[in-house]
Structure formats: structure tokens, C-alpha cells
Amino acid sequence: MLSELLPLKPGSIVALVGAGGKTTTMYRLAAELAAQGQRVITTTTTHIFPPTPDQTGTLIIEPDRSLLMAQASVALQTHQRISLATAPTPEGKLRGLPPEWVADLGQLPRIGAVFVEADGARGAMIKAPADHEPVIPQSADLVLLLASAEALGQPLSEAIAHRPERVAAITGLQPGELITPKALASLATHEHGLLKKVPASAAAVLVLTHAGEQFRRSAEEAAQLALASGRLSGAILCTLEWAQAVS
């Protein structure tokens, strides 16, 4: 299981940044921990589509901080997975929590972990953050840096990358050049790439999603190059069916 490969502890606050399946990964981790009997919160510091019934036990939308925490505490008495937001948006999404609220969640009774989607990528395989991104809570003790292995070998363009011009600036690639394992590792470990705004006290783990047979070898190379930088606490390759740590 993916969760078994992560340095999780009771009350862990886990932020997810990057691209390539943050929402899917968040709910996967929540489901895995819930299956072990843990109580889990999923939320965001940006915007997210409302969860489906199979992704959460209940959704709480409350703009008042004290009321939200009180309602969350009550909900955790009867649900193993709950999701939190502060308001709906005109686009049909949910507005997340201010990052400074997130620390409160890790202190709630019976909480196993809090998962926070802290970045947006518009469905892209890879991304580099804008000046205002990501929105990582300072209380996070683990940050998952996500990218899709399916980007490897593809030309750098808007078809695969969110903010491709920033990806180019970080990796040194020109538009249209192929995404190499070295380029993906650079994106993952650059201070203006996926490591941007990661709290100094937090562990950072690279998670390369969609690392099926076609991409597994190059994804493993990218992960090993990223680990060699000395800036990460770990690296994982995964698909929806399996997960594997890289050393």
C-alpha cells in the first residue's frame, strides 16, 4: 500500500503539491488509512471539486473557524473519513481552508492523519509553481511532490505541463524538447520547482504516479537522480494498483 511507504505518524499533516494525480492520491491514502481503522480528514488550501460518496464519509462546509473545528470533531465520532471546505465557488468547486487553520485539524481527537491538497495543476502531468503557489500549511510535517511518469519522453508543451514556461526555466529545456529523467528530477528538487515553500521541518517525498511498465525504467532513473540531490526524504513509484519505494 502507498501509505505504508510514507513516514506517517498519528496526527500527521500531509500536503500534496505538483501534478499528475494529487486528488486521486489524497483520497487513496485516506481510504487506505480508514481501512486500517484510522480517522482521516481530507481538505485543500486552494479549490477542489466536491468529493464523491466513495471518497469521504461526510462533507462539512463551514466558513467559521471555530464552528468548522467543532463540527469536524463531532463528525469524527461517527465517520472515519471526513472532508472540509469553507464555501462553494461559482465554478462548482469548493473553497478550502486558510493554511493557518490546518494546524488545528491535527489536534482533533481520534485523528490519524490530515491530507491537504495544496496546489493546482488543471489536470496536467507536471507543473512548476507560479509566484503565489503552492499554498502549503506551515504545520505540514510531510509534503508529497507529485508528477506523472507519463510525461517522460514527451515534448514540453501545454499539452502535458501546467506553466510550461516555468518548467523550461527550471529544467533548462526548450519548448518541444523531450522530458528526460534528469529534467524531471531537476523539477522535483529545484527550490522554485516542487520543493518551493516546503517547510524546513517537513519531510519531502517524491511520488511519481502512472509509473506503469512503459515508464517504469525512466521513472526509476528520475527518482534515483532526485534522491541523489540529497534534498528528499524518499521517492516512490506508483500506479493505481501498486506502489514501490525507490532507493
Side-chain angles (χ1 to χ4, degrees):
M1 289 194 298
L2 178 58
S3 57
E4 294 177 343
L5 303 179
L6 298 174
L8 297 171
K9 57 187 179 183
S12 281
I13 295 176
V14 184
L16 296 89
V17 302
K22 292 185 303 299
T23 303
T24 298
T25 301
M26 177 173 73
Y27 289 125
R28 172 183 179 173
L29 288 167
E32 288 182 5
L33 294 188
Q36 298 170 28
Q38 298 191 46
R39 308 283 182 183
V40 186
I41 295 173
T42 54
T43 188
T44 183
T45 51
T46 58
H47 292 169
I48 196 171
F49 284 109
T52 58
D54 65 320
Q55 292 173 330
T56 193
T58 189
L59 168 64
I60 300 171
I61 302 174
E62 173 54 61
D64 181 272
R65 183 175 185 171
S66 296
L67 290 176
L68 180 67
M69 298 306 158
Q71 291 177 35
S73 182
V74 171
L76 287 168
Q77 296 178 26
T78 53
H79 298 283
Q80 287 185 281
R81 291 184 290 168
I82 68 171
S83 297
L84 307 179
T86 55
T89 73
E91 299 77 27
K93 290 189 172 184
L94 297 173
R95 182 172 290 110
L97 279 59
E100 60 271 17
W101 292 15
V102 175
D104 297 352
L105 302 177
Q107 303 302 315
L108 292 174
R110 299 171 295 277
I111 192 66
V114 179
F115 294 103
V116 185
E117 187 171 309
D119 205 0
R122 297 184 181 177
M125 298 178 188
I126 57 174
K127 78 161 290 184
D131 292 340
H132 64 281
E133 298 172 316
V135 189
I136 302 175
Q138 286 300 302
S139 54
D141 49 59
L142 174 61
V143 181
L144 305 185
L145 318 176
L146 270 73
S148 173
E150 290 180 328
L152 289 162
Q154 296 209 48
L156 176 59
S157 70
E158 291 185 353
I160 67 159
H162 185 42
R163 311 194 192 286
E165 71 287 350
R166 289 180 178 257
V167 174
I170 289 170
T171 62
L173 293 176
Q174 297 298 314
E177 287 190 304
L178 302 185
I179 304 294
T180 63
K182 181 180 178 181
L184 188 55
S186 295
L187 178 64
T189 58
H190 196 282
E191 62 181 0
H192 295 300
L194 299 187
L195 279 178
K196 185 182 177 188
K197 296 186 179 180
V198 172
S201 58
V205 174
L206 176 63
V207 180
L208 296 181
T209 61
H210 307 102
E213 192 63 33
Q214 180 182 353
F215 303 99
R216 193 164 181 173
R217 192 169 186 176
S218 55
E220 187 166 359
E221 182 182 351
Q224 289 172 339
L225 288 170
L227 286 171
S229 72
R231 298 181 178 184
L232 303 181
S233 300
I236 295 170
L237 309 184
C238 67
T239 67
L240 291 175
E241 291 77 33
W242 57 266
Q244 170 193 319
V246 177
S247 58

